[in-house]
Amino acid sequence: MLSVDDVRANPVVHKLVKVADEHLSAQGYTEHGQRHANLVSHIAGNILARLGYAPRTVELAQIAGYLHDIGNVANRQDHATAGATIALNVLLQMGMDPEEAAIVAGAVGNHEERLGEPISPVSAAVIIADKSDVHRTRVRNPNPALFDIHDRVNDAAQHSFVRIDPERRLVILELTIDQAKASVVDYFEIFLSRMLFIRKSAQFLGCGFQLFINRTQML
Ligand SMILES: [Fe+2]
Ligand SMILES: [Fe+2]
């Protein structure tokens, strides 16, 4: 069975993740490379593991999490759909079971709120992991005077943690924001739709969603 380590070690996959990030960098987007891919992979797997899903389902979430932004090699706007096609091709070529590859492709293809929906536990976990990744290390604009709101909010985010409470069936996002750099209102201006997408995905997993910013419950 194809493992997440096999996928991560594949030179074609590695190159696609790298070039996808370079294409976003050229358009001024925050970091979407190895750091983001590995983090989303890790968190997506952890969400399903903590909620008691089977180890293979956890591993599929890790694979989908690693591959989810690979479609940015083609185009930012349709990167989820492009990514699903690319992921399916790569995984089938690597010999993955077609049903598993289809689950991963569906998760990749549905991870953006504009065109996507949580359609499986793997998909829901990838959405939650992806949409909760806000952190100052993602900012690459070197000049704070030229920060846009995404740069400012990411720069202000000192800490972001997805906590799973299996007993209470809760997905809890804990953020620490430096309010000298961005306000909570700034945060909601760009992240409200993402928060609602996380909540929808938590509901798909039979969980409630809570958001804490600087220890205050916001949702
Ligand atoms: Fe994405
Ligand atoms: Fe992403």
Side-chain angles (χ1 to χ4, degrees), residues 36-98:
H36 179 63
N38 280 311
L39 195 78
V40 172
S41 171
H42 183 78
I43 295 172
N46 192 43
I47 290 166
L48 295 189
R50 296 273 297 152
L51 291 173
Y53 283 86
R56 188 59 186 160
T57 308
V58 170
E59 186 143 41
L60 293 182
Q62 291 172 333
I63 293 170
Y66 186 76
L67 295 175
H68 78 281
D69 272 333
I70 209 166
N72 286 303
V73 289
N75 186 296
R76 165 72 196 170
Q77 291 307 320
D78 288 317
H79 76 275
T81 310
T85 309
I86 295 166
L88 195 58
N89 275 320
V90 167
L91 293 172
L92 291 176
Q93 261 184 26
M94 289 181 78
M96 192 184 222
D97 169 71

Side-chain angles (χ1 to χ4, degrees), residues 65-164:
Y66 186 76
L67 295 175
H68 78 281
D69 272 333
I70 209 166
N72 286 303
V73 289
N75 186 296
R76 165 72 196 170
Q77 291 307 320
D78 288 317
H79 76 275
T81 310
T85 309
I86 295 166
L88 195 58
N89 275 320
V90 167
L91 293 172
L92 291 176
Q93 261 184 26
M94 289 181 78
M96 192 184 222
D97 169 71
E99 190 169 332
E100 290 191 346
I103 292 170
V104 172
V108 172
N110 279 280
H111 83 272
E112 292 292 341
E113 65 265 36
R114 204 166 48 85
L115 297 169
E117 292 280 333
I119 47 153
S120 66
V122 169
S123 150
V126 169
I127 291 166
I128 295 167
D130 180 41
K131 300 308 162 203
S132 58
D133 184 18
V134 48
H135 199 261
R136 59 184 166 184
T137 53
R138 298 190 75 184
V139 178
R140 20 185 185 209
N141 185 340
N143 184 351
L146 298 176
F147 276 5
D148 66 10
I149 188 168
H150 287 266
D151 291 332
R152 269 196 295 120
V153 170
N154 274 283
D155 185 51
Q158 298 168 325
H159 175 83
S160 162
F161 187 73
V162 179
R163 190 179 300 284
I164 302 295

